[in-house]
Structure formats: structure tokens, C-alpha cells
């Protein structure tokens, strides 16, 4: 069961008290985790919530300003733009990436020739993808004299500066996200393997077309996995930073077209040292990611099927 | 129906797709051996004029030789691997095998941390670590791993331990072994595949991490390879693609090797945290 399925089932069952016979041993085993939870996660979360209502530049102590940061967020056009950019990236990039991942996973039949070769080649980019080197590569590929334009030149088409044109720069980053479809693909592959072959056999005997089998057997059977990938990829996509940073030299340009929310947060917090505002932004991000996840969980009741 | 024709079409399609997928990487390798002016003219993989200088030039382009940054990244990666292995396996044992008070709520908290954006804790963490003088040291990145903050790996290990028959530890308990001994002598040796998976993922993710090292490691002598590459772009990169590609390749090689040798574990890790 995935972490997400586990969360779903936990939220359904009513709390039953554990027998609690290993309290002492458990405390010992959980010492690092408990310290980490309070010192590295919950503590900073509480402090960040407080800082969100302050003006703080790291040198002077935080000054409580009430809702000033929130009012500023409401008026901040660059922030609104960064939300637009990020939403576009999430809402276009994630479905596209998952569709490709699922499509390729379905093409890769169990026991087919060269399966492990194909899987490796498709999986590799998603392992390399988050590093600076790949962003550097992308910057060149979609540059004015880059690989894409060289190829277009061969067939006589005059390319444009994909990265330097605000209309296409975000598109190139979405494409980079699609390119890293390998890890959701691996999860789809494992999921497809769980669908009993007899369902397909029975359906073929009944004369169901391949498309019909896909719609009526494959999709419902792997819906928990689609859901899992969807939730995780959305959460991940909201936090994309490296690629936007490298491709735009940290500026979010051209014309703020790659100013992702996290990049703007970094600029405010760690370039301007406007820590109060950055904290308020971080909480907005948590609320947005949380809302997306909650909606996902809620809607999942209508399209995700668990057979147990 | 499975016909030879369909199969040929399918393989042709897949090979084409695989080619498109890795072409940019191969082209980057080829370009790292090209003189700068040819990089912008040769879209193919054939290197018409080999320029060996990109590597030595890139290696010494910044204030420290690139070996220094490789070493920094290596230290960071080893520290994080060690931290994750020790702390996550302890937590996983407790969650998978022990009954204790508030287990359920702690478990839910642990699962939630997997989904928490790091941005909400990075500002206070930075404030905290800068106050104890840890900025420009590796501690802000390693210490959280020692404290089992990577819920993903705890969950992965829990899943794995759940698959180990309980008879094993019950037999040991009857023989008088306490939990520390059961953990160390029964469970840990059996969960080596899960530990390997954790080590390889930690390797790749820590090596590739840019955000936290960009924030904490601002002194050039502390740069990791990722931050060094970024600094490279700022100084000479735009005019020196050959050297930039060469150093990019240098930073990708360890990840590629980890992928190559750890692939079995990576696939399993991805699959087991995804579904049972």
C-alpha cells in the first residue's frame, strides 16, 4: 500500500488504542525521529508561522506587523504572476508527464524483449533531471543557437530563442518535466503488473476492443496508482526550483516568465533577506499544496477504486 | 492479437522514443569534446574536431579546483547516507514492530512530513543554524538526516519490515533477546535491500540537491558540485559552453554510476513505496 493509500485508510478507521506494551523500547528507537520532528520540522513550522506576521531581516529582531505581509501579498503583482507561472506548470506539466508515463508503461509489456533496456533508458532522465547539469543542458538545447534550432535549421526552419522568449520559456521547462516521466512510469509498470491477466482474457472472449479493455479494466484497476502519482507529482511540481533558477540565472526571466513561486520565495528570503515576507509566502505554498492534496483526496472517492 | 507486424512497429516506436530521450545527454557528452564555436554548429554526435581542453579548463575555472567541490559533495553525501541509514531504520523498526502510546498519530505525522514543502521550514531553519554558526558548514544538511527527517525512507523501511515474517523476531524474543538485539541481529541483516535502496536514493538526491546547498554553502571553499556549476555559469559559462558541459558531465557521472549499479534497488524502492 502506498503512503497515500495508507493515509486514506487511516483517516477512515476510528482510533483504537494500541496495547502499548513496548513504550520504553519505542521511546528509545524513536529518539532521533522525535528530536527531528520537534527541532527540525514542527518547531521551525511554528516559528515560520510567527515570522509570517513579522518584519524580519535577520539582523534586527522580528517586529510584529500583524497582517501586513498578507496585505502585501494581495497587492504584489510579481507574486500573482509567480502563482500563475507555477499553476500553469503544475496543471499542464503534471498531466502531460503522467499521460506519457502511463502510455509508455502500457507499451512495455511484461516479458517483452528488451524490457529492462527500455525501462533503464526511460528511467534515467528522471534520476538525473533535478541536477544543475541537466538545467544547463536544457538552457543550451533551447537557446537561440541551441540543439533544437540546429535541428530545425537542417530542415530549413528558422527557430526562435525558446528560453529567451517569454512565450516559450515556460513551455521548455514543462517539456523538461515531461522528459523526466521515468519514475511515475516505473510505478505504473508495477501497478499494471497487479492487474490479473484473466480479466483481459475474459474481456477478449466477450469481444471487447483494446480501447474498451483499457477503459473498463486497466484504468479502474490502476486508479489508486494514478492517484498516488498525481498527488506526489503535483506536490513535487509546486516545489520546482533548480531548473527555473539555472535557466534564468536566478532571475526568473525573461519578463518573469519562469519566476516560479519558490524562486520568488528564495529571492525574497535569501537575496532581500525579507524573512517575514518569505515565511508568509511559504505558508501560502503550504496552504495551496494542502488544498490541492485535500481536493485530490476528496475527488478520489469518485474515481479511485480499491478492490479490498 | 499479437502479430509480428505489431511487435515490429512497437519496437520501432520504442527505440525511436528511447533515442529522443537520451539524445540530449549523448549530445552533451559529444559537445564536451568540441571547441566552443563548433558546439553551436554541430547537432550530430560525430566529433569532427576534438578539443581536450574543455575538461582541464573547466576543472580550474573557479577559485578552487573542481576536485575540491567533488570532495565536498562526497563528504556531504556520505554523512547524509549514514544519517538516513541509522536514524530511519530505528524509527522504522519502532513503527513496524512495536506497540506504543500515540503510535497512530505519530505515524500520521511521519507520513505528512513526506508531503510537507521544505520551504515552510527553511527560513526558520536558516535562522536557527545561522545563530549557532553553522552556515557554511555541512551540518545544516547532515544533522536533519541524523534526526530521521526523511519520512520517505522511514516509510520504505516500514514497508520492507512488514514483509519480514514475525516468527523470526518472536523466536529471538523467546530466546531472551530484547528489542535492541532483535533489531540489530535479526531485522537489520534481513533489511539490507531496503538499506541499499535508501543509500542509493540518498546518494542521488543529496548529490543533485541544489536548493539547500545554495542557501547554506555560500563560501566558495564549501561549494558542492551543484553550487560550483552555478557559480561557473555566473563567471564564464555563457561564453564557454564546452567547459561548462565538461564539468556538467563530471557532476553527472557519479549519479549515472549510482543509477547503473543501483537500478534494481531504485526500481524496487520506487515500486514498493508506490504499491504493496
Amino acid at each position: 500500500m502506498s503512503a497515500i493509500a495508507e493515509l486514506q485508510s487511516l483517516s477512515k478507521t476510528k482510533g483504537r488504542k494500541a496495547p502499548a506494551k513496548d513504550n520504553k523500547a519505542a521511546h528509545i528507537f524513536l529518539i532521533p525521529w522525535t528530536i527531528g520532528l520537534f527541532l527540525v520540522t514542527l518547531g521551525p513550522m511554528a516559528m515560520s508561522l510567527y515570522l509570517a506576521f513579522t518584519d524580519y531581516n535577520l539582523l534586527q529582531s522580528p517586529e510584529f506587523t500583524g497582517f501586513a505581509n498578507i496585505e502585501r501579498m494581495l497587492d504584489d503583482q510579481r507574486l500573482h504572476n509567480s502563482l500563475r507561472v507555477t499553476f500553469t506548470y503544475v496543471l499542464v506539466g503534471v498531466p502531460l508527464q503522467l499521460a506519457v508515463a502511463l502510455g509508455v508503461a502500457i507499451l512495455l509489456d511484461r516479458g517483452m524483449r528488451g524490457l529492462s533496456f527500455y525501462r533503464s533508458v526511460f528511467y534515467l532522465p528522471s534520476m538525473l533531471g533535478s541536477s544543475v547539469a541537466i538545467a544547463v543542458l536544457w538552457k543550451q538545447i533551447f537557446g537561440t543557437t541551441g540543439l533544437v534550432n540546429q535541428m530545425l535549421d537542417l530542415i530549413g526552419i528558422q527557430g526562435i530563442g525558446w528560453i529567451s522568449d517569454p512565450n516559450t520559456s515556460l513551455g521548455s521547462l514543462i517539456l523538461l518535466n515531461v522528459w523526466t516521466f521515468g519514475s511515475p512510469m516505473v510505478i505504473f509498470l508495477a501497478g499494471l503488473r497487479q492487474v490479473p491477466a484473466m480479466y483481459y482474457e475474459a474481456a477478449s472472449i466477450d469481444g471487447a476492443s483494446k480501447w474498451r479493455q483499457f477503459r473498463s479494466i486497466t484504468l479502474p484497476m490502476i486508479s489508486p496508482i494514478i492517484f498516488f502519482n498525481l498527488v506526489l507529482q503535483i506536490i513535487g511540481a509546486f516545489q520546482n526550483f533548480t531548473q527555473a533558477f539555472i535557466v534564468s540565472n536566478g532571475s526568473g526571466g525573461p519578463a518573469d516568465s519562469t519566476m516560479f513561486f519558490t524562486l520568488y520565495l528564495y529571492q525574497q528570503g535569501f537575496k532581500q533577506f525579507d524573512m517575514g515576507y518569505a515565511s508568509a509566502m511559504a505558508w501560502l505554498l503550504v496552504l495551496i499544496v494542502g488544498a490541492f492534496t485535500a481536493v485530490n483526496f476528496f475527488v478520489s472517492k469518485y474515481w479511485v477504486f480499491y478492490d479490498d | 492479437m499479437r502479430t509480428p507486424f505489431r511487435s515490429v512497429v512497437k519496437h520501432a516506436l520504442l527505440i525511436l522514443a528511447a533515442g529522443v530521450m537520451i539524445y540530449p545527454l549523448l549530445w552533451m557528452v559529444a559537445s564536451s569534446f568540441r571547441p566552443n564555436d563548433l558546439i553551436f554548429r554541430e547537432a550530430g554526435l560525430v566529433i569532427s574536431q576534438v578539443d581536450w581542453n574543455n575538461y582541464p579548463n573547466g576543472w580550474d575555472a573557479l577559485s578552487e579546483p573542481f576536485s575540491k567541490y567533488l570532495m565536498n559533495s562526497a563528504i556531504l553525501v556520505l554523512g547524509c547516507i549514514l544519517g538516513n541509514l541509522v536514524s530511519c531504520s530505528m524509527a522504522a523498526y519502532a513503527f513496524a514492530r512495536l506497540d506504543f502510546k500515540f503510535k497512530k498519530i505519530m505515524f500520521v505525522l511521519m507520513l505528512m512530513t513526506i508531503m510537507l514543502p521544505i520551504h515552510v521550514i527553511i527560513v526558520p531553519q536558516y535562522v536557527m543554524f545561522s545563530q549557532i554558526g553553522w552556515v557554511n558548514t555541512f551540518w545544516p544538511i547532515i544533522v536533519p538526516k541524523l534526526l530521521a527527517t526523511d519520512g520517505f525512507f522511514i516509510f520504505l523501511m516500514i514497508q520492507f519490515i512488514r514483509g519480514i515474517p514475525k516468527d523470526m523476531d518472536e523466536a529471538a524474543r523467546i530466546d531472551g533477546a530484547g528489542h535492541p538485539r532483535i533489531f540489530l541481529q535479526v531485522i537489520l541483516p534481513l533489511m539490507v535491500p531496503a538499506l541499499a535502496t535508501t543509500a542509493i536514493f540518498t546518494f542521488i538526491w543529496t548529490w543533485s540537491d541544489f536548493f539547500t546547498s545554495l542557501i547554506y554553502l555560500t563560501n566558495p571553499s564549501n561549494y558542492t558540485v551543484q553550487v560550483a556549476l552555478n557559480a561557473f555559469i555566473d563567471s564564464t559559462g555563457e561564453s564557454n559552453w564546452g567547459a561548462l558541459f565538461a564539468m556538467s558531465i563530471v557532476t553527472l557521472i557519479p549519479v549515472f554510476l549510482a543509477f547503473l549499479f543501483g537500478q534494481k534497488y531504485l526500481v524496487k524502492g520506487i515500486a514498493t513505496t508506490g504499491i504493496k
Side-chain angles (χ1 to χ4, degrees):
Chain A
M1 217 196 298
S2 71
I4 283 161
E6 193 127 359
L7 263 182
Q8 272 179 317
S9 70
L10 276 171
S11 67
K12 271 180 230 148
T13 53
K14 280 264 177 281
R16 180 179 54 85
K17 275 227 170 84
K21 55 184 185 291
D22 307 311
N23 273 328
K24 218 176 121 194
H27 286 318
I28 293 168
F29 278 100
L30 286 171
I31 286 173
W33 179 81
T34 314
I35 298 175
L37 182 71
F38 285 102
L39 234 57
V40 185
T41 310
L42 295 181
M45 275 177 81
M47 188 173 163
S48 146
L49 190 59
Y50 167 68
L51 287 180
F53 296 97
T54 66
D55 184 10
Y56 182 42
N57 62 4
L58 209 61
L59 299 171
Q60 283 124 2
S61 53
E63 187 194 331
F64 191 80
T65 54
F67 292 102
N69 285 328
I70 294 162
E71 279 164 26
R72 191 176 145 194
M73 286 201 291
L74 288 173
D75 288 334
D76 187 345
Q77 295 302 320
R78 293 191 81 192
L79 180 129
H80 300 170
N81 171 65
S82 75
L83 282 172
R84 244 191 322 270
V85 169
T86 309
F87 276 115
T88 310
Y89 180 76
V90 170
L91 295 177
V92 178
V94 173
L96 220 57
Q97 183 206 39
L98 290 186
V100 173
L102 181 58
V104 175
I106 286 172
L107 274 181
L108 294 177
D109 275 342
R110 200 177 337 189
M112 72 182 278
R113 236 172 227 265
L115 170 66
S116 63
F117 167 77
Y118 290 128
R119 194 183 54 199
S120 306
V121 171
F122 293 133
Y123 186 34
L124 178 67
S126 70
M127 284 293 109
L128 303 177
S130 64
S131 61
V132 171
I134 294 300
V136 165
L137 172 64
W138 224 251
K139 192 176 179 178
Q140 210 296 326
I141 288 181
F142 287 98
T144 314
T145 51
L147 183 59
V148 168
N149 284 350
Q150 290 173 43
M151 297 228 169
L152 287 176
D153 206 33
L154 292 177
I155 50 171
I157 296 174
Q158 171 78 45
I160 58 165
W162 308 96
I163 293 280
S164 50
D165 186 331
N167 294 315
T168 49
S169 50
L170 182 58
S172 357
L173 289 181
I174 289 176
L175 216 57
L176 175 49
N177 189 49
V178 175
W179 188 62
T180 60
F181 70 81
S183 65
M185 177 202 71
V186 166
I187 298 176
F188 278 134
L189 273 175
L192 288 171
R193 235 157 250 205
Q194 312 257 309
V195 182
M198 58 177 193
Y199 289 6
Y200 294 112
E201 283 156 20
S204 314
I205 291 167
D206 289 348
S209 67
K210 281 274 178 203
W211 171 242
R212 184 65 207 269
Q213 290 179 27
F214 172 73
R215 254 180 40 216
S216 307
I217 303 172
T218 314
L219 275 187
M221 287 298 285
I222 62 165
S223 56
I225 292 129
I226 299 177
F227 177 62
F228 175 80
N229 273 334
L230 193 64
V231 171
L232 279 200
Q233 294 302 326
I234 286 178
I235 293 173
F238 266 117
Q239 300 180 57
N240 177 37
F241 171 80
T242 307
Q243 299 156 356
F245 184 97
I246 296 298
V247 158
S248 68
N249 279 1
S251 72
D256 277 355
S257 61
T258 60
M259 181 62 93
F260 281 67
F261 190 78
T262 53
L263 183 51
Y264 192 52
L265 190 156
Y266 166 82
Q267 288 187 353
Q268 293 300 318
F270 297 94
K271 284 283 154 195
Q272 318 284 332
F273 288 101
D274 201 340
M275 296 289 194
Y277 194 53
S279 299
M281 285 183 68
W283 273 96
L284 179 61
L285 182 67
V286 170
L287 291 180
I288 291 172
V289 171
F292 260 77
T293 311
V295 167
N296 250 327
F297 268 80
F298 180 75
V299 175
S300 75
K301 273 188 261 174
Y302 303 101
W303 66 273
V304 176
F305 303 97
Y306 293 97
D307 53 355
D308 48 39
Chain B
M1 284 298 107
R2 189 176 283 244
T3 61
F5 177 71
R6 274 186 85 111
S7 170
V8 167
V9 169
K10 191 160 98 175
H11 278 279
L13 214 74
L14 284 169
I15 288 171
L16 185 73
V20 171
M21 288 289 286
I22 51 165
Y23 194 83
L25 292 171
L26 297 176
W27 178 82
M28 178 157 72
V29 175
S31 293
S32 73
F33 293 105
R34 284 181 175 132
N36 268 315
D37 52 329
L38 281 187
I39 292 178
F40 302 105
R41 270 187 269 141
E42 291 186 345
L45 295 178
V46 181
I47 309 166
S48 58
Q49 189 187 335
V50 179
D51 186 351
W52 298 107
N53 289 325
N54 288 330
Y55 282 83
N57 284 348
W59 198 270
D60 292 318
L62 297 174
S63 60
E64 309 265 351
F66 221 77
S67 45
K68 171 78 173 164
Y69 309 127
L70 286 168
M71 188 54 85
N72 287 341
S73 280
I75 295 170
L76 203 60
V77 164
L78 286 179
C80 289
I81 290 178
L82 187 75
N84 272 343
L85 287 183
V86 172
S87 65
C88 294
S89 63
M90 285 170 67
Y93 178 78
F95 281 122
R97 283 295 204 255
L98 302 177
D99 289 318
F100 51 92
K101 235 180 171 175
F102 307 124
K103 177 172 174 173
K104 203 167 186 177
I105 186 153
M106 285 162 109
F107 186 66
V108 169
L109 276 173
M110 191 274 296
L111 289 179
M112 304 263 253
T113 59
I114 300 179
M115 289 170 241
L116 189 74
I118 187 201
H119 308 85
V120 75
I121 49 178
I122 194 80
V123 167
Q125 261 189 33
Y126 182 84
V127 173
M128 185 170 85
F129 287 132
S130 74
Q131 270 164 4
I132 50 177
W134 277 5
V135 170
N136 276 312
T137 71
F138 298 146
W139 296 119
I141 299 166
I142 294 177
V143 166
K145 310 287 175 192
L146 286 166
L147 298 174
T149 46
D150 262 339
F152 176 82
F153 296 119
I154 302 180
F155 183 68
L156 186 140
M157 292 184 196
I158 291 175
Q159 294 291 76
F160 194 88
I161 296 175
R162 282 174 177 169
I164 299 173
K166 271 197 166 146
D167 317 2
M168 307 283 295
D169 26 330
E170 263 151 28
R173 193 173 315 169
I174 290 164
D175 290 344
H179 286 294
R181 270 193 67 182
I182 296 174
F183 171 64
L184 288 173
Q185 296 186 347
V186 181
I187 299 292
L188 265 192
L190 287 172
M191 63 186 284
V192 167
L195 299 176
T197 305
T198 299
I200 294 161
F201 269 113
T202 308
F203 184 113
I204 292 179
W205 288 346
T206 311
W207 188 273
S208 306
D209 168 68
F210 178 60
F211 185 63
T212 42
S213 25
L214 179 71
I215 284 167
Y216 287 117
L217 307 171
T218 48
N219 186 335
S221 65
N222 289 314
Y223 281 177
T224 59
V225 285
Q226 308 295 336
V227 186
L229 258 190
N230 176 49
F232 196 117
I233 303 174
D234 284 344
S235 55
T236 58
E238 299 297 348
S239 54
N240 198 355
W241 283 99
L244 182 57
F245 277 175
M247 290 308 102
S248 297
I249 300 288
V250 169
T251 68
L252 286 179
I253 284 172
V255 184
F256 180 72
L257 291 178
F259 174 83
L260 204 64
F261 294 109
Q263 218 199 124
K264 188 179 86 187
Y265 296 110
L266 290 170
V267 168
K268 245 189 209 147
I270 287 271
T272 45
T273 43
I275 40 256
K276 202 176 188 171

